[in-house]
Amino acid sequence: QVQLVESGGGLVQAGGSLRLSCVASGSTFSFNAMGWYRQHPGKQREWVATITSGGSTSYADSVKGRFTISRDGAKNTVYLQMNSLKPEDTAVYYCNAHYTVFSYWGQGTQVTVSS
């Protein structure tokens, strides 16, 4: 059974940085892609960033230039380095992993940015 566990969330002042981690366990395969989504209070979950097994990355316009996604394939771990954080980045951040037609989610980690 595949499980994704996020960590690294917390409270930070605007302009600060946080690094999120997501460790996948229970898989015997490497994921095709891993990524991050976030959900603001009262809103739908939105895509933040993705990294493929080949190392290609893509970002939502709202975080481009501030966030960096990276991956340790050997450890099935994905990271999200978040710099220059803004109050509007406050959300629950979810890790996601894809393998063929299957999609897996973590339980989420809260990020709060104070102004």
Side-chain angles (χ1 to χ4, degrees):
Q1 182 177 357
V2 175
Q3 288 189 324
L4 304 179
V5 179
E6 302 101 333
S7 62
L11 173 64
V12 64
Q13 288 189 332
S17 299
L18 283 174
R19 188 192 194 209
L20 305 183
S21 299
C22 171
V23 180
S25 62
S27 69
T28 58
F29 46 84
S30 293
F31 297 105
N32 302 122
M34 299 183 76
W36 293 91
Y37 288 70
R38 67 186 182 186
Q39 188 165 16
H40 297 96
K43 296 191 176 181
Q44 289 191 332
R45 196 172 296 186
E46 64 179 22
W47 170 71
V48 174
T50 297
I51 185 166
T52 68
S53 57
S56 297
T57 59
S58 54
Y59 299 90
D61 287 343
S62 58
V63 306
K64 201 172 294 183
R66 300 188 297 122
F67 291 9
T68 302
I69 190 170
S70 60
R71 178 175 177 176
D72 184 334
K75 298 180 180 179
N76 256 353
T77 301
V78 64
Y79 306 95
L80 187 67
Q81 177 66 44
M82 305 185 295
N83 298 327
S84 302
L85 283 162
K86 304 175 181 180
E88 52 264 42
D89 294 318
T90 295
V92 178
Y93 283 72
Y94 296 90
C95 177
N96 174 262
H98 278 282
Y99 179 70
T100 63
V101 299
F102 300 102
S103 183
Y104 305 94
W105 293 92
Q107 82 289 349
T109 184
Q110 176 70 46
V111 171
T112 303
V113 184
S114 63
S115 57

